[in-house]
Amino acid sequence: MPFFDALARWLGMKKKEVNVMVVGLDNSGKTTIINHFKSPETKNHDIVPTVGFNVEKFKSKSLAFTAFDMSGQGRYRNLWEQYYKECDGIIFVIDSSDKLRMVVAKEELNLLLENPELKNRSIPILFYANKMDARDAVSSVKCSHLLELQSLSNKPWFICASNALTGEGLHEGVDWLTDQLKIVLQKKKK
Amino acid sequence: MLSLKRDKKEEEDGGGNPFNNLEKSTVLQEARTFNETPINPRKCGNILTKVLYIINQGESIGQTEATEAFFAMTKLFQSKDPILRRLVYLGIKEMSKIAQDVIIVTSSLMKDMTGKEDQFRGPAIRALCSVTDHSMLQSIERYMKQAIVDKVPAVSSAALVSALHLGKGSQEVIKRWVNEAQEAVNSDNVMVQFHALGLLYHIRKTDKLAVNKLVSKFSKQSLKSPYAYCLLIRIAAKLIEEEDAGSESPMFDFIESCLRHKSEMVIYEAAHAIVQLKNTTAKDLAPAVSVLQLFCSSPKPTLRFAAVRTLNKAYELMLNVLKLLVAIKHPAAVTACNLDLENLITDVNRSIATLAITTLLKTGNESSVDRLMKQISTFMSEISDEFKIVVVQAIRSLCSKFPRKHNVLMTFLAQMLRDEGGFDYKKEIVDCIITTIEDNVEAKEAGLAHLCEFIEDCEHTVLATKILHLLGREGPRTPSPSKYIRFIYNRVILENAAVRAAAVSAIAKFGAHCDDLLNSCVVLLERCQLDTDDEVRDRATFYVNVLKQKQKALSSAYILNGLQVSVVGLERALHQYTLEPSEAPFDLKSVPLATQPIAEQKVRDVPGEVPSSKPTQDKVAASRQDVYQEQLAQVPELANLGALFKSSSPVEVTESETEYYVQCIKHTFNNYIVFQFDCTNTLNDQQLERVTVEMEPAEGFEVIKYIPCPLLTYNKPGTTYTLVRLPSEPTQVTGTFACVLKFLVKDCDPQTGEPDEDGYDDEYVLEDVEVSVADHVQKVMKPNFAASWEEVGPENELEDTYALSNMSTLEEAITNIIQYIGLQPCERSDKVPEGKSAHTLYLAGVFRGGHDALVRAKLALDTSGVTMQLTVRSTDPHVSEVLATAVA
């Protein structure tokens, strides 16, 4: 029913759809973050390591998100690139309490940024410095330093500390992403 | 209109299938649409269908292409469209074996599998199991266990079947799911129960005891699902087969009880299983067959089809069993089954009934013959020729077994002759009648009458000529020969050339044998001289001229007894003669005589003998001598001995298990004997060279030459010859030769066969070789002995009386006489009618040098043994002398 879709969109009744990818190392909290955005009745209480990927849908103020929740385990990370092409935004989740593997996260981020599909695209990247409640968690600023985000200049990015268990900080990040994506969509229209 | 037509044509070309002529590369290109957002479920569904279609058409997709398409397909998980999602499941299953990294969909599938949408759960499980490898199995184990006991039957079934598939790879993990499977067996859903039983069996199938327990447990506890029952029957049947148990197995009882199940499917499966079992008897089969017969009248076509198929198999099985019984030579062994067979003779399947009856005929006693013949005649017209032949064969054996029943049997055969039937069938009947006539004098007249009637309307030339020949031979000796002439002359008027020629020969035989018919026969033959066919005219002219001479000897030689030479030999001799033109006329005596295959034929007609070996035997008998002739002509030293007169059958001159194995064949020529020694070296560490057989000749014989066998290696037969000149004294023909095998031995390596350089001479004593009278005569069949007897005349007749005190029966005496003299018994005189104390034996043959030799031995049995009066007639006085002394 493309016609009705278009009509609904024109009337502003149906929200615009965007694809985002949720990536990050294993056990950083990707699935938990997505789970938080879901409506209460579809929420999953039992989070297990993702194998491959999951597709989840959630809504923010004015956009309908389709999130590809990718598996963070080492053997599946090379599969992320299969989904770069179609995504409009990226959510990169970092376990801020895991200082040891921060370098691994940095490496994966670099690989992502160097990927030909993404390299020259001005695609918004949202960083969640997750597990802020953990005792030895580093601050979001420290995190951005560790990942050398200051050198990332050709893409809009934003980092916020979050706690996926309580939902703290999550909406702040999604709001930023929504704004960025809206700008992108408007640019596309023109 | 035009376009309509074209459309129609396109439709016929297969345009009706929208997926026809799909190009793989285009479809895979289209599959990129999956990457677009937002997803258009209808369009993507259509493309995915195309992909599935080309995969199922057997198109092979490369790994990279497949992987690309696969990842594009994973993006379709965004859409919640149920049709598209289920297509995706199918796509995953199809591509799971060709694409890389299919593991990527694991979490998505797990989400669907545990989700709320029941429609997705089953297919998701199946897809998940197809992408999961063994390392991942543990992570999904918990969900699988849950799914197996799920209350939704589709989910439970899907999990069970997937588990079965997973079990092919790793039995270990599946084994831990036994408890869940046990629980699922108790499900109310028929499919779940079936699948659960399947999984249980699969888990336990390597443990025979456990399977046994499984079957006995579930065969007691009544299962709800007919499918599960079918599976259980199959497992039970397999167990029976593996244990080689027959109907006494408890499993068989279970299968048998399933024949009374309320579901048709189960009944059919049980019947099918019983039919398929190996060690079943007719009694075990009976209930299964009756159930299947019930099915045949079922209103459901599928059931009828299945029943007919299995019945067919059941009948085939019964037929095979029966055929085996028919072929068994020891009737006593079969009599045990007679009761079963009695039940089968009224079987609706005619083939089975026929075989049952024929088996009974062969094994039964005289009293039951009438009843069985009556039974079989009721449906003779309904069975095929192949089975009719079996019946005829049974009757033939009956004829020889119960000569007194020939009346019933003859009438029956005549009835069958009149009915429709193919050549083989008719030939079998005619053969049967002919043997009966020959064996049983009382049946002769009736048999000839039936045959006469048959040739009145016979479309088979071969049979007609055969019968005419028989009439010519047997007819003149019946009390009223004149009545056959009418039948025979009718053939001259009505039939084709071959039959006419045969009829002419037959008439001539009547003329030659019966003086009172001579004139009439000549008249008939003269009429035949006007025939359109050359052969018929030639024969008629020849016979008229011979008969007009009115000389008994002449008629006997040229009409009653035909040419006795080997056809191959005659051809070769004539060819030789035309190559070297000479003034001398062609000498028929130089042609080797035909070896008598008749004796062997007699052996073959013994009832119960398997007829398949017939043709090969026949050929060997006819050409053995010709083969030897060729073989001897290859040896230059033996090439100029003249025509080979006779070759004896091989005689072993060593024990068969010794170091060297030697057979001797005696080849008799006019003035020489060649001893052919076929030697085999059975020692693998020896190689023999220059092998000869030295012979110590009997008095008068002279060894001319040894032709050695140059090399005799392990297990490769070689031949050496010894040439001996026969004594000049014509009456001196027998002797004993001492033989010694002489050779040079070289030891050799058993493996390589490489011989040492030096050898040593050695010898090996063989058994003595005997040259008897039989080696000097060739058997010749004289169909009309009396005529030949007169033909040779009393000129060189010798007569003597012997008392054969060491013989106690006439049969024994006859066998021994034939063995010593080596002549052919004529007119079936080698068979002594039962209960007679006197008998006359007629023997005929040709002595070396081409002299006819006839022997009449009158035998009488008394208390002291057998007394024999031996009369010998020959064209040469010496021959008579030799033969007369042969027995003494």
Side-chain angles (χ1 to χ4, degrees), chain B residues 755-767:
Chain B
D756 291 349
E757 273 187 27
D758 307 316
Y760 51 90
D761 284 315
D762 201 356
E763 54 182 52
Y764 187 85
V765 178
L766 303 176
E767 286 167 28

Side-chain angles (χ1 to χ4, degrees), chain B residues 474-485:
Chain B
E474 300 289 342
R477 276 180 276 174
T478 54
S480 52
S482 54
K483 70 176 174 189
Y484 300 107
I485 303 245

Side-chain angles (χ1 to χ4, degrees), chain B residues 610-674:
Chain B
V610 190
S612 65
S613 59
K614 251 187 190 174
T616 48
Q617 247 184 6
D618 226 9
K619 251 185 194 148
V620 171
S623 61
R624 193 172 70 101
Q625 189 153 357
D626 299 313
V627 169
Y628 283 134
Q629 172 118 38
E630 287 281 296
Q631 209 177 329
L632 291 174
Q634 303 286 315
V635 185
E637 291 92 333
L638 304 176
N640 302 319
L641 299 178
L644 176 61
F645 177 72
K646 182 184 181 175
S647 295
S648 72
S649 35
V651 183
E652 291 178 13
V653 287
T654 55
E655 305 282 323
S656 56
E657 300 288 309
T658 49
E659 298 96 308
Y660 315 110
Y661 174 66
V662 183
Q663 274 191 333
C664 175
I665 302 166
K666 294 166 277 186
H667 302 287
T668 315
F669 292 84
N670 245 347
N671 300 312
Y672 301 91
I673 284 191
V674 172

Side-chain angles (χ1 to χ4, degrees), chain B residues 406-407 409-415 417-418 433 443-456 467:
Chain B
H406 72 84
N407 251 337
L409 300 171
M410 229 14 144
T411 331
F412 187 71
L413 287 173
Q415 188 69 44
L417 257 185
R418 261 177 243 132
I433 293 182
K444 193 192 248 179
E445 286 238 13
L448 287 179
H450 289 315
L451 290 177
C452 282
E453 198 182 310
F454 174 60
I455 54 169
E456 284 288 326
I467 292 169

Side-chain angles (χ1 to χ4, degrees), chain A residues 32-130:
Chain A
T32 317
I33 290 173
I34 298 299
N35 197 40
H36 183 83
F37 289 122
K38 287 201 286 189
S39 56
E41 64 268 21
T42 55
K43 258 189 186 139
N44 202 342
H45 302 288
D46 180 20
I47 309 289
V48 293
T50 307
V51 179
F53 75 101
N54 267 324
V55 181
E56 301 290 357
K57 295 196 174 189
F58 62 89
K59 287 178 182 130
S60 71
K61 287 176 295 188
S62 54
L63 284 177
F65 282 89
T66 302
F68 281 79
D69 173 17
M70 303 304 296
S71 169
Q73 291 174 41
R75 56 185 285 212
Y76 304 121
R77 281 178 215 151
N78 58 336
L79 299 176
W80 293 351
E81 58 185 23
Q82 300 279 352
Y83 300 88
Y84 289 159
K85 199 180 171 192
E86 294 82 28
C87 69
D88 304 307
I90 291 171
I91 299 174
F92 198 101
V93 185
I94 306 144
D95 179 355
S96 54
S97 66
D98 189 0
K99 274 173 269 182
L100 204 63
R101 292 206 299 163
M102 208 57 90
V103 273
V104 184
K106 183 178 164 242
E107 211 159 280
E108 290 295 338
L109 178 66
N110 284 341
L111 273 174
L112 183 147
L113 294 172
E114 289 305 308
N115 189 285
E117 294 282 1
L118 300 176
K119 201 173 179 184
N120 300 316
R121 273 174 69 190
S122 172
I123 184 172
I125 305 179
L126 168 65
F127 293 90
Y128 277 126
N130 202 19

Side-chain angles (χ1 to χ4, degrees), chain A residues 9 17 19 41 46 48-57 66 68 70 75-76 78-79 82-83 86, chain B residues 35-38 71 74-75 77-79 101 103-108 111 116 133 135-136 142-143:
Chain A
R9 212 170 292 140
E17 283 182 23
N19 274 354
E41 64 268 21
D46 180 20
V48 293
T50 307
V51 179
F53 75 101
N54 267 324
V55 181
E56 301 290 357
K57 295 196 174 189
T66 302
F68 281 79
M70 303 304 296
R75 56 185 285 212
Y76 304 121
N78 58 336
L79 299 176
Q82 300 279 352
Y83 300 88
E86 294 82 28
Chain B
N35 294 325
E36 284 167 13
T37 42
F71 274 98
T74 59
K75 281 155 199 167
F77 269 107
Q78 295 172 61
S79 168
D101 294 318
I103 203 86
I104 190 86
V105 289
T106 305
S107 269
S108 309
K111 196 177 115 201
K116 290 205 172 55
D133 57 12
S135 56
M136 291 299 302
R142 187 161 61 103
Y143 299 103

